[in-house]
Amino acid sequence: MSVQPRRTLAQVKAYVPERPGCAIDLSDNTNLFGVPPAAAESLRDVTAAAITRYPVAYVPALRQAAARYFGVEPERIATGCGSDDVIDCAIRAFVEPGEKVAHSDPTFSMVPVFARLNGCEPVAVPLRDDLDVDADALLATKAKLIYLCSPNNPTGTTVSRASLEKVLNGATGVVLLDEAYAEFARENFLARALERDNVLVTRTMSKAFGLAGLRVGFGLGAPALVVEVEKSRGPYKITSIAERAATAALTRDLDWVRTNATEAREVRERLVDGLRRQGLAPLPSEANFVMVPVPGAAEVSERMREQGVQVRAFTGLTKIGDALRIGCGPWTMLERCLAALEEART
Ligand SMILES: *Cc1c(COP(=O)(O)O)cnc(C)c1O
């Protein structure tokens, strides 16, 4: 007899990462400027107790450090094994199986996956022609949870304040605002979101903070929302080692984070110039990556790989078509990327 998985899994494919092993890997938007020093230092003297005993449930030291960084009370912060985990737990906490999760298209590809895994129905709403979110169409879905991402992965574009206000004022369920790239953007909506009792903002240590391998993310919102997210998550999702390094980074690496985020923004604009000089029309980005429409992106990226530069290729994206997404690392990497792209297109 063959074992059948739950029906909800039939529509879900296992995540297939890009092939590894490229000299310059600009494909996943992580921090390419190095490791935050205080976080690295904190890992050098890990005690036996930190390994043999369970972590303290709901990581109070990390929540305290995060509370200071975000300027909110610890009761307003849920933690997770990456913000991926927080998104998954929020869907499970607030959306019944069979109910809808609305999201823009294109956006973070894990959102429809998490919706399906939780037995919910993902509803994709195309971005408008100006690449802002379509607030009216999102609201018209009457979804139990509306997911917004600003700056948006993979486009790098932001949600306008007007569209955000429209969604906040019209939503009847939970609004989840994913700000994984907030540190690279001109403004963020955390303070505005925290005025509402139905909005959860997710943040991560994986991008500007350079700790993707440790898997630490946050959900910020009203204490009543935070409690439900943590209930649906369970107690020991953050390891004591991740807690230790993330707490150190949030306390002692803020200058490092700001300096590298500033540099990422500067090289992003140089990259945009370089792409324009090749006759391309990159999308306006406020993240640490740039999306640039390129016909035949899959083949172009393969030819770039052969030259030792990995970028992420997308085909047939709604409103955009074929495109490359290029992470912003030190300028020497981006110079090599621009040269490889030019070569790959000729
Ligand atoms: C990278 C990313 C995340 C975060 O992931 P973690 O699970 O925190 O590593 C969340 N949302 C978006 C849009 C991302 O691009």
Side-chain angles (χ1 to χ4, degrees):
M1 193 196 94
S2 74
V3 175
Q4 293 300 315
R6 281 171 55 195
R7 278 192 304 279
T8 51
L9 286 180
Q11 302 159 45
V12 176
K13 291 197 194 75
Y15 184 74
V16 183
E18 301 269 321
R19 280 179 295 165
C22 229
I24 297 181
D25 185 351
L26 308 175
S27 68
D28 69 2
N29 308 339
T30 48
N31 195 319
L32 298 162
F33 294 92
V35 186
E41 174 70 33
S42 77
L43 294 175
R44 270 180 220 127
D45 52 336
V46 172
T47 59
I51 296 172
T52 56
R53 308 301 301 265
Y54 280 104
V56 181
Y58 302 106
V59 290
L62 176 59
R63 286 176 92 175
Q64 277 293 348
R68 278 194 301 275
Y69 174 65
F70 293 117
V72 305
E73 305 82 54
E75 303 75 54
R76 286 176 169 271
I77 302 184
T79 55
C81 180
S83 54
D84 269 23
D85 188 30
V86 178
I87 296 167
D88 180 32
C89 293
I91 293 173
R92 191 154 58 250
F94 303 116
V95 192
E96 297 286 352
E99 290 183 331
K100 291 175 185 159
V101 172
H103 60 85
S104 293
D105 179 26
T107 197
F108 188 38
S109 61
M110 291 308 293
V111 172
V113 174
F114 288 136
R116 288 208 178 91
L117 286 175
N118 286 296
C120 307
E121 184 193 338
V123 183
V125 175
L127 290 175
R128 301 187 327 197
D129 290 343
D130 65 0
L131 302 183
D132 192 4
V133 299
D134 189 336
D136 292 317
L138 285 166
L139 292 170
T141 65
K142 303 238 182 313
K144 190 68 172 292
L145 184 147
I146 296 177
Y147 170 89
L148 301 174
C149 187
S150 186
N152 184 42
N153 182 5
T155 57
T157 53
T158 52
V159 174
S160 70
R161 188 164 278 272
S163 293
L164 177 83
E165 291 298 334
K166 203 179 236 185
V167 171
L168 292 184
N169 291 329
T172 51
V174 171
V175 177
L176 195 159
L177 174 60
D178 185 337
E179 294 194 325
Y181 301 97
E183 289 86 355
F184 306 103
R186 272 178 297 191
E187 62 171 354
N188 68 71
F189 299 124
L190 179 62
R192 177 72 186 105
L194 289 174
E195 293 169 6
R196 299 297 181 112
D197 56 15
N198 65 330
V199 182
L200 190 75
V201 176
T202 55
R203 295 287 187 94
T204 179
M205 301 294 287
S206 298
K207 307 290 160 58
F209 278 89
L211 298 177
L214 290 177
R215 316 299 305 121
V216 178
F218 305 105
L220 297 103
L225 289 189
V226 164
V227 166
E228 301 307 326
V229 170
E230 297 231 302
K231 269 171 30 188
S232 94
R233 191 204 73 185
Y236 297 132
K237 291 296 175 70
I238 297 194
T239 67
S240 44
I241 290 172
E243 179 183 27
R244 191 181 171 91
T247 303
L250 285 165
T251 316
R252 292 186 277 129
D253 283 324
L254 298 181
D255 286 343
W256 182 92
V257 169
R258 285 193 197 104
T259 302
N260 286 313
T262 302
E263 185 167 350
R265 285 197 299 261
E266 284 166 9
V267 294
R268 177 183 76 205
E269 296 317 309
R270 290 175 77 182
L271 175 64
V272 163
D273 282 349
L275 292 166
R276 288 201 184 116
R277 258 184 257 123
Q278 294 190 20
L280 296 167
L283 309 183
S285 172
E286 293 210 25
N288 64 338
F289 58 84
V290 172
M291 172 155 265
V292 59
V294 175
E299 296 74 29
V300 170
S301 76
E302 191 49 46
R303 288 197 289 274
M304 291 174 73
R305 240 187 78 79
E306 286 159 12
Q307 301 173 69
V309 179
Q310 179 131 357
V311 297
R312 179 78 182 267
F314 294 83
T315 38
L317 282 180
T318 304
K319 300 277 170 162
I320 295 165
D322 294 358
L324 300 175
R325 192 192 64 196
I326 305 170
C328 294
W331 179 244
T332 49
M333 291 187 188
L334 298 186
E335 262 180 328
R336 294 257 317 259
C337 172
L338 283 165
L341 174 59
E342 190 155 39
E343 174 76 24
R345 290 175 63 233
T346 47

